[in-house]
Amino acid sequence: MPAIDPAIEPVLLCASDALIERGDAVVFEVQQWRRKVGAFVMRFEGRVVAYLNQCAHVPTEMDWQEGKFLDRDREAIICSIHGATYDPLNGRCVGGPCVGARLTALRVEERDAQVYWYPSSDIKPMPVALPRDDGTEESPP
């Protein structure tokens, strides 16, 4: 898991009840090495887990529809492009073209009926576009 930068505050992702056991994930965007990357958080076997939305085989988004990551039996995360399957609890590829590789895990915590993500030095929140005087938005640096 990436190193935790103590200067970065946790980011509220969703209410705890938005994550149904073995249900759809909540998707969000992060910045990894200054580029936009998808991420997701889900509940599996009572635990809240989060990963970058990138297959370990080829870095492409895995959900076949937004937030839909689990296979038909709701036992494994599956890449809709290559069919790689991952253990939801640890992100390890257990079948397909990347056996043994892992999804990039994100540190999350559930407390006070909310789910928080803790950014790292490599994976940060997306910068917010700033409004200009003319009503348009300035792109973040």
Side-chain angles (χ1 to χ4, degrees):
M1 198 167 299
I4 297 167
D5 183 342
I8 298 177
E9 293 292 318
V11 175
L12 174 63
L13 295 178
C14 62
S16 293
D17 61 6
L19 300 177
I20 298 167
E21 177 69 27
R22 297 181 191 230
D24 290 353
V26 170
V27 297
F28 57 104
E29 292 179 338
V30 299
Q31 186 179 54
Q32 181 185 40
W33 303 308
R34 300 189 71 137
R35 67 181 178 89
K36 182 171 76 170
V37 178
F40 65 97
V41 61
M42 65 189 318
R43 185 179 305 281
F44 194 86
E45 293 186 7
R47 288 181 40 202
V48 175
V49 295
Y51 300 100
L52 289 184
N53 186 2
Q54 291 188 327
C55 182
H57 173 232
V58 174
T60 186
E61 291 194 347
M62 300 182 301
D63 45 343
W64 51 278
Q65 289 182 352
E66 185 171 308
K68 303 206 180 285
F69 291 89
L70 294 176
D71 64 0
R72 185 178 330 190
D73 297 328
R74 299 192 170 277
E75 294 291 328
I77 295 169
I78 187 166
C79 176
S80 66
I81 306 298
H82 305 107
T85 54
Y86 299 89
D87 182 329
L89 294 176
N90 61 26
R92 185 172 163 270
C93 183
V94 294
C98 55
V99 171
R102 290 183 186 270
L103 298 175
T104 300
L106 303 177
R107 180 177 173 225
V108 288
E109 178 182 51
E110 185 174 23
R111 62 180 155 82
D112 303 323
Q114 303 288 339
V115 176
Y116 295 88
W117 161 53
Y118 286 83
S120 67
S121 56
D122 295 334
I123 303 171
K124 300 179 181 190
M126 287 295 297
V128 177
L130 303 173
R132 294 182 178 162
D133 291 337
D134 66 1
T136 63
E137 290 185 349
E138 179 179 335
S139 297

